[in-house]
Amino acid sequence: MIHKRLLLGASVLALNLAPSIVPSAQAASCLSTSGGTVLANLDCVNWTGGDLIVNSGVTLSGASNPGVSISGASAGLLANNGTIAASGATVFSAVSVGPNATITGITNGSTGLISSGSTGISASSASIGTITNNGTIRAGSAGVSLNGTANVSNINNTGTIVAPTAISTNTNASLGAITNSGTIAGNISNNGTTGMTISGGDSSSSYGLFTGESGGSVSSNVGSISHNNADLTFNSGFIWLNNNVNVTGHKVQVNNATIKLSNSISITGDYTQTGGGLVSSITSGSHGALDVSGQANISNTTLVLQGSNLQVGDTYTIVSVGDESGDTSITSISVTGTNGLTATTTENNGGNLVVKLTADSSGSGKYSPVGQATGGVASSLGSVLDKLNGETTPQAQAFQSNVLAVIDSLPTEQQKGAAIKQLAPANAANTLQMSAQATSIVLGAVDAHQQLVMGGDGGAYAGTGKAAGNDTAHSALWGQFLGGSSHLAGSSDNDGFTSKSFGLTSGFDHLITPNLLGGVALSWLRSWTDGSNDSSGSTQRLDSYQLTAYSTYRLGRLALDGQAGMGWNHFDQKRNVSFLGQTASADYDGQQYMARARAGYDFSVGANTTLTPFASLRWIHARNESYDETGAGSANLSVDAQNSDVVTQELGTRAQWQFDTAYGMLTPEISAAWVHDYTDSAQTSTGQIGGAAYSVETEGLPSDGVHIGAALSLAATDSTDIRLEYDGELRPGYQSQTATLKASWNF
């Protein structure tokens, strides 16, 4: 007796779980914890170590204490996704750290609320790594208050901090940097001797707003920044400044930030800007400006004026100074919101920066000449941008502020042209080419199978039907691995791409009569495409599922092949808008339909060689559904559905040799054909950008090319065949290669 034993290996999974705070009833006094996860409501928590996590839906409400407090200890991260409050108390902080405490940081999640009638977060002679606010910090006195020798490395805000004083530090406290892409509503007071650095959002669609407690951007909402003991630095990013700044005895230093102004903002002290930009928003009642009490020095800076219905001859003082010894020099100036205008700058009374609106001398708009000089899709898109620049709809004005103003700030015409090209939709010709290539790869695999199994005396159905009890096998099941790549070189009219593909095809066919084969194949193919030139960083992923019916009729040396099929495609697409630092994403579906006919005639050349001239005609119809992009703010596109029809011929010759070997019948072959498209390769893409309709045309592949192929087949047994095949298509500026590995079983 033979005994078989099945051994199952066992493993141990160890989970290190932090303690959970789950009181059965609301605590009468503060609960002390060394960290863990708060799962239910509490009066308050005295935190003594570890990480403390407050779950969404949980409220820590200190009626006569801070919601969370830590003193004289070292702890980890406080992560709040619920509510931490000092309810009913105007003298307690929602979160109190210190004295003599050190914590890794505080993170207030997007669902988090830190609230107090006094202070949101207070630190007294304590150390906090980073305060990250993605939710809301609301307080009756101060949002974040640093006292004694407290220090905080960074405050990163994407949410809202709102209080009469949003952020304050006393004389001995220090705050390293503030990065704000949300709203900080309330005064900022830095009484420390360490200079503070402020940065804004990472794109023009995410300006960090600094304003008064009421949170708006009109003149009645202006707040203040007090920073009297050191220089204040605006380092980088996009900053909407709606706070007056007091740096008496010191200066405001702007490194590479873009400062947006919607009101007259006073700078008490000096002002120096050595990069970035100034954006002045102009309305009927006011315009953005700086009123500097001291000296202003501005260099390497762009200026953008934003406003609708502006008039030629209007003048605006953008920077006024008390000390005339400075120098204000603007690198470039542009006007958005009113088409057909430009501006000139002058210095008046020494250091004041004054601009005057003038008519665009070209008479053809601002962006059209740049687009035409750039070529390609930029040629037609430039006029669309000129139209948008004169629109007054909210969507158009947002586009002017967030997109056109950034294009205007680019230093060279070449960079502006590249930016216009990046606003165009993903290359329609290349996208539809991906569908066509996926179909071609599958058709090539099916066609090669038909040639192999119905290839005259050497065909897979010839003389191998022992299992069927007659001269031929009746059915075959086959499978094939697919792999390929393609490359289109970019040009001034069209960006290029590189694509890679991998997939599987499997099929079943049956010999209906000795001369007629019928079958069906199911295929899946995935392709990845990376754009080049100005489309560098843009990607597409295609999943294509195809069903193909095929048939071959053979009459002596004449073979007639046919295929018909359909496919469903899914695209996952990312369009890089590098000049905005954003990526527009979209996913959408498509379909394709195809038909192909081929005729070939075999000529015997010697005992083992066959020469087969052939001709084929192929039709492919591809449709991509409409889609709306996300992720790029005002630069997102709405793209209409696209349709394409391609009719392609091939005229060529195939040579095949057969050799008996110890391993079976070995059949090498080579082929070459002329490829010609009878349809126009140009594709038109339509849709909307910034609320305006656009239509751009892109060129597809050149009409003529060469198709080359090589293959090696081995009939290892009466029922098994293995085949390795290479196909290449060469057109001017375009190369495509496909490799396939196939196995079939005849029965």
Side-chain angles (χ1 to χ4, degrees), residues 660-727:
D660 280 323
T661 71
Y663 302 100
M665 179 68 72
L666 186 67
T667 307
E669 64 182 64
I670 59 173
S671 63
W674 166 47
V675 179
H676 176 73
D677 291 336
Y678 287 99
T679 47
D680 187 3
S681 64
Q683 298 295 327
T684 299
S685 180
T686 61
Q688 287 196 334
I689 180 172
Y694 70 83
S695 176
V696 296
E697 185 177 85
T698 53
E699 289 293 331
L701 299 183
S703 297
D704 292 282
V706 176
H707 186 185
I708 58 175
L712 188 65
S713 301
L714 177 65
T717 68
D718 284 347
S719 60
T720 305
D721 294 295
I722 300 173
R723 180 180 175 89
L724 180 64
E725 183 174 359
Y726 164 83
D727 275 300

Side-chain angles (χ1 to χ4, degrees), residues 64 125 138 151 253 380 389 441 450 470 486 539 604 617 661 688 696 732:
S64 57
S125 299
R138 180 183 296 117
N151 70 85
Q253 172 68 49
S380 53
N389 198 28
I441 291 174
Q450 292 174 266
N470 53 35
S486 61
T539 62
S604 295
L617 191 65
T661 71
Q688 287 196 334
V696 296

Side-chain angles (χ1 to χ4, degrees), residues 370 374 378 413-423 534 579:
V370 177
T374 303
E413 296 299 291
Q414 183 178 4
Q415 290 172 312
K416 293 177 181 178
I420 293 174
K421 287 181 69 175
Q422 289 180 2
L423 292 176
D534 292 319
F579 76 96

Side-chain angles (χ1 to χ4, degrees), residues 339-584:
N339 203 21
L341 293 180
T342 186
T344 59
T345 63
T346 61
E347 283 194 20
N348 192 15
N349 298 323
N352 293 345
L353 176 64
V354 179
V355 297
K356 182 178 181 179
L357 301 184
T358 60
D360 184 358
S361 59
S362 69
S364 57
K366 181 192 301 185
Y367 305 103
S368 293
V370 177
Q372 290 168 1
T374 303
V377 293
S379 297
S380 53
L381 200 57
S383 60
V384 178
L385 301 188
D386 279 326
K387 178 182 177 182
L388 271 169
N389 198 28
E391 296 289 335
T392 59
T393 64
Q395 190 174 4
Q397 289 181 337
F399 187 86
Q400 295 158 15
S401 300
N402 299 331
V403 180
L404 296 185
V406 181
I407 293 177
D408 292 340
S409 69
L410 297 174
T412 68
E413 296 299 291
Q414 183 178 4
Q415 290 172 312
K416 293 177 181 178
I420 293 174
K421 287 181 69 175
Q422 289 180 2
L423 292 176
N427 191 318
N430 292 351
T431 301
L432 293 167
Q433 173 61 26
M434 288 182 68
S435 302
Q437 184 187 14
T439 302
S440 297
I441 291 174
V442 171
L443 285 180
V446 174
D447 178 71
H449 173 75
Q450 292 174 266
Q451 301 308 310
L452 180 66
V453 299
M454 294 294 283
D457 294 337
Y461 284 107
T464 59
K466 295 178 182 179
N470 53 35
D471 290 338
T472 61
H474 287 83
S475 301
L477 180 67
W478 58 279
Q480 194 156 335
F481 291 100
L482 309 174
S485 66
S486 61
H487 174 75
L488 176 67
S491 66
S492 59
D493 291 329
N494 217 18
D495 291 341
F497 68 85
T498 298
S499 178
K500 295 178 175 62
S501 302
F502 171 82
L504 300 168
T505 295
S506 62
F508 173 81
D509 48 48
H510 182 73
L511 196 62
I512 301 170
T513 72
N515 296 323
L516 179 62
L517 174 74
V520 63
L522 184 64
S523 309
W524 164 76
L525 193 76
R526 171 168 287 184
S527 297
W528 299 266
T529 298
D530 296 310
S532 59
N533 307 101
D534 292 319
S535 295
S536 178
S538 296
T539 62
Q540 284 182 316
R541 189 183 73 185
L542 165 66
D543 282 295
S544 182
Y545 304 87
Q546 300 182 44
L547 181 67
T548 308
Y550 58 91
S551 179
T552 296
Y553 178 74
R554 188 165 191 96
L555 186 60
R557 296 184 178 275
L558 175 66
L560 301 175
D561 302 318
Q563 295 116 15
M566 61 182 298
W568 176 80
N569 300 323
H570 181 75
F571 293 89
D572 189 344
Q573 175 178 292
K574 298 186 183 301
R575 177 173 60 91
N576 184 33
V577 192
S578 61
F579 76 96
L580 294 177
Q582 296 176 325
T583 300

Side-chain angles (χ1 to χ4, degrees), residues 1 194 250 262 409 527 540 585:
M1 179 180 295
T194 302
H250 298 278
S262 50
S409 69
S527 297
Q540 284 182 316
S585 301

